[in-house]
């Protein structure tokens, strides 16, 4: 079953770019939310994911804050 992956980013964040590249390279589909432009997404990131930092990656009941390749591989089963 495919997971619904959401990634909260900002345009200038190098770790956001690295996280998106990782997801792209592994064929993981995701929805991206630019929290600079999208106030509702910023609030969702704060409340649903309990995070104030980017990138925040949410799927199932998992939340990963920051770009950690090993943790992403483990939690996404790669």
């Amino acid at each position: 079953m495919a997971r619904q992956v959401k990634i909260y980013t900002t345009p200038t964040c190098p770790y956001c770019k690295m996280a998106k590249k990782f997801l792209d390279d592994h064929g993981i589909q995701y929805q991206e939310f630019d929290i600079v432009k999208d106030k509702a997404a910023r609030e969702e990131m704060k409340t649903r994911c309990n995070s104030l930092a980017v990138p925040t990656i949410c799927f199932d009941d998992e939340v990963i804050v920051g770009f950690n390749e090993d943790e992403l591989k483990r939690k996404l089963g790669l």
Side-chain angles (χ1 to χ4, degrees):
M1 180 177 159
R3 294 178 172 191
Q4 182 181 1
V5 177
K6 294 182 177 182
I7 182 168
Y8 300 88
T9 65
T10 61
T12 58
C13 168
Y15 297 103
C16 297
K17 292 174 183 160
M18 290 168 38
K20 292 187 295 182
K21 182 178 181 336
F22 173 87
L23 294 171
D24 290 338
D25 288 350
H26 288 86
I28 305 292
Q29 293 185 346
Y30 58 90
Q31 288 181 284
E32 179 181 4
F33 298 92
D34 179 346
I35 65 164
V36 172
K37 295 179 183 175
D38 188 342
K39 184 177 178 181
R42 184 171 54 246
E43 289 304 312
E44 180 180 85
M45 181 184 80
K46 286 185 200 176
T47 57
R48 181 177 173 269
C49 303
N50 196 30
S51 175
L52 298 173
V54 292
T56 293
I57 304 166
C58 301
F59 54 93
D60 301 336
D61 292 330
E62 302 283 346
V63 176
I64 299 173
V65 179
F67 176 63
N68 181 323
E69 187 172 335
D70 291 334
E71 186 177 12
L72 276 169
K73 283 182 180 177
R74 185 173 51 79
K75 290 193 175 188
L76 289 170
L78 301 174

